[in-house]
Amino acid sequence: MNNEKQLIMALIVLIAMLAVLLGASGRFENTRPEQTSEEESALVDEDLIVVGFSQLGSESVWRTTHTQSIQDALSKENGFFLQYSNARQKQENQIKAIRGFISQRVDYIVFSPLMEDGWETVLTEAKEAGIPVILVDRKVSGSSDLYTTFIGSDMEEEGRKAGEWLASYQKQIGHANDPINIVVLTGTFGSSSQIGRSRGFEQVAAEHPNWHILARESGDFTVIKGKEAMAKLLRMYDDIDVVVSQNDEMTFGAMEAIAEAGYTTGIYGDMKLISFDGVKDALGLVDFGKINCDVECNPLQGELLAEVIHKLEAGEQVEKEYFVDELVFTRDNVREYLGDRVY
Ligand code: GZL
């Protein structure tokens, strides 16, 4: 065998030995290939808790506040390295992001599922990878074994609060037994917010045979689609007494459509208006008497999330679900809270 061939053979053997040595040492086993060198050195230096966060979108003030609350709490100063992904209202983007977090071997996956269904496969992959999953804001259907804990609101309770307010209002004005026509603007179809709020409100409505829910129309939690949905309902019905809108963004859109149709809302309006979320601009309209009742949905979940992750890091037991504190705002109490509303 001539010299050149001997040299090539020696090189091949050397490369093969090097590959075996590196593989055996595991030196590349635990790095996260997507990490840049400075990110990796930061993680190694500061031993940060790496969290992959898949947020469903940025469709409302509520949502952007929710995101900011988590980004503020899961900061480097608090011991975290947060990888944030905005799915822009597409479930496939959330599934892709979660798979990316799994391949990067993050320490925790946090996500707000756009809708309840369709997560079994990817959450099973996370479980098999040994990565705890924490749900924030919204829930998933199927086995609760697929996630460690849930932090958010009791959506059915929010729906019941809206119904209970309406019942108390009708009684207060001496019309408890009068027939009333109701339309409901629902949020993103199939989301736990839409399902829970609808279920809770309709549980109370079922106790009042004189309440008639004429129609439910999805406004997908946005201003524009809320306006379109309300305009459609106004073309269908000319005897609407109550509008139940499952978030403030849709309420803002609905109010535009109602005004354009020549009607008014609120305490002295043609239609009573019940909303959800309790963002600052909506509470201003409650104070102004244009929205009768706003059921709070609290987006400030970041600090509780950080606390729960630190508990898990310390090997402590955590609850299966944590509900944030929430109020019901009407003209009677809104001024107490309006001043220092941060969102
Ligand atoms: C509720 C949350 C909803 C808000 C909307 O927990 O999922 O999504 O009510 C947001 O404003 O779009």
Side-chain angles (χ1 to χ4, degrees), residues 114-127:
L114 180 65
M115 64 275 284
E116 286 196 346
D117 298 333
W119 304 100
E120 297 268 332
T121 303
V122 74
L123 293 185
T124 301
E125 290 167 16
K127 185 168 184 154

Side-chain angles (χ1 to χ4, degrees), residues 59-60 62-63 137-138 155 193 197 221 247 277 297:
E59 73 285 359
S60 62
W62 189 98
R63 181 67 51 199
D137 171 35
R138 296 189 187 175
M155 302 296 180
S193 329
R197 288 172 186 163
F221 285 137
N247 90 323
D277 280 355
C297 181

Side-chain angles (χ1 to χ4, degrees), residues 295-329:
V295 179
E296 183 177 30
C297 181
N298 182 355
L300 305 178
Q301 302 171 3
E303 283 182 19
L304 179 53
L305 172 62
E307 191 187 308
V308 168
I309 293 177
H310 280 306
K311 276 180 183 282
L312 290 166
E313 281 292 289
E316 294 175 27
Q317 281 299 316
V318 296
E319 303 294 328
K320 194 64 186 175
E321 45 188 27
Y322 293 85
F323 293 124
V324 289
D325 297 332
E326 300 177 333
L327 297 166
V328 175
F329 297 108

Side-chain angles (χ1 to χ4, degrees), residues 76-267:
K76 270 195 180 168
E77 298 70 44
N78 291 344
F80 293 93
F81 184 88
L82 183 66
Q83 302 200 35
Y84 167 71
S85 155
N86 179 342
R88 292 177 175 71
Q89 304 288 325
K90 288 188 172 24
Q91 181 176 33
E92 61 265 28
N93 290 347
Q94 287 198 284
I95 291 171
K96 235 180 271 172
I98 291 170
R99 288 201 164 115
F101 297 146
I102 293 171
S103 68
Q104 292 164 39
R105 297 182 184 78
V106 297
D107 299 313
Y108 295 87
I109 291 171
V110 171
F111 82 116
S112 178
L114 180 65
M115 64 275 284
E116 286 196 346
D117 298 333
W119 304 100
E120 297 268 332
T121 303
V122 74
L123 293 185
T124 301
E125 290 167 16
K127 185 168 184 154
E128 286 166 355
I131 301 175
V133 171
I134 299 175
L135 301 182
V136 288
D137 171 35
R138 296 189 187 175
K139 287 194 161 181
V140 298
S141 58
S143 164
S144 64
D145 292 346
L146 291 173
Y147 61 90
T148 301
T149 186
F150 163 79
I151 296 171
S153 305
D154 181 340
M155 302 296 180
E156 274 193 38
E157 181 56 23
E158 290 179 0
R160 278 192 291 273
K161 285 177 179 176
E164 285 154 9
W165 175 84
L166 182 55
S168 69
Y169 177 78
Q170 287 296 109
K171 190 174 175 189
Q172 182 194 329
I173 62 172
H175 293 292
N177 300 315
D178 288 14
I180 50 174
N181 292 327
I182 301 165
V183 294
V184 182
L185 296 178
T186 60
T188 304
F189 187 74
S191 66
S192 59
S193 329
Q194 175 268 316
I195 293 169
R197 288 172 186 163
S198 298
R199 193 176 292 154
F201 180 77
E202 294 183 16
Q203 279 169 357
V204 178
E207 296 162 11
H208 299 271
N210 53 314
W211 294 9
H212 307 296
I213 298 180
L214 301 175
R216 302 159 185 82
E217 196 67 34
S218 176
D220 204 21
F221 285 137
T222 67
V223 174
I224 292 173
K225 291 184 181 174
K227 180 174 183 178
E228 288 167 359
M230 190 67 227
K232 179 180 174 185
L233 292 167
L234 288 162
R235 289 193 296 272
M236 293 164 68
Y237 303 98
D238 59 5
D239 53 355
I240 297 172
D241 299 307
V242 180
V243 178
V244 178
S245 169
Q246 292 184 350
N247 90 323
D248 291 334
E249 309 290 312
M250 293 192 294
T251 298
F252 300 145
M255 290 177 76
E256 283 181 32
I258 291 166
E260 286 171 12
Y263 297 106
T264 55
T265 62
I267 294 173

